[in-house]
Amino acid sequence: MKTIVITGSGRGLGFELATRFRKADFNVVLNDINPAQLETAKQNLEQISGAGKVVACVGDVSNLESMQHLAAYTAESC
């Protein structure tokens, strides 16, 4: 199964992209700096039928350690 990581996916365009990939049966890894928005996005995506997993990881794309954590989390989760 294919996996997509979408940063800034707590709302807006990032969330819409995540929705499209969810419907296409991808594993979707959500990432956003705002934990509350991220959790809401995850819950909303889980309501959409799809064969892939939906996982979420809080992080800041401007922080190298945060992105390294995202990469490791994605590898472990999907």
Side-chain angles (χ1 to χ4, degrees):
M1 178 156 312
K2 294 181 181 179
T3 300
I4 184 83
V5 177
I6 303 174
T7 60
S9 52
R11 63 187 175 94
L13 181 59
F15 179 75
E16 290 303 318
L17 287 169
T19 299
R20 302 257 177 174
F21 281 104
R22 172 71 172 156
K23 290 177 180 178
D25 295 328
F26 278 65
N27 291 323
V28 179
V29 181
L30 304 170
N31 173 259
D32 201 278
I33 197 167
N34 184 313
Q37 286 180 344
L38 191 62
E39 182 58 31
T40 298
K42 182 178 184 287
Q43 290 174 0
N44 288 336
L45 279 185
E46 289 174 333
Q47 299 300 315
I48 299 169
S49 62
K53 296 179 183 179
V54 177
V55 296
C57 182
V58 175
D60 180 353
V61 297
S62 69
N63 181 290
L64 178 60
E65 288 178 9
S66 181
M67 291 299 95
Q68 289 171 332
H69 172 73
L70 175 60
Y73 180 78
T74 299
E76 292 170 10
S77 300
C78 297

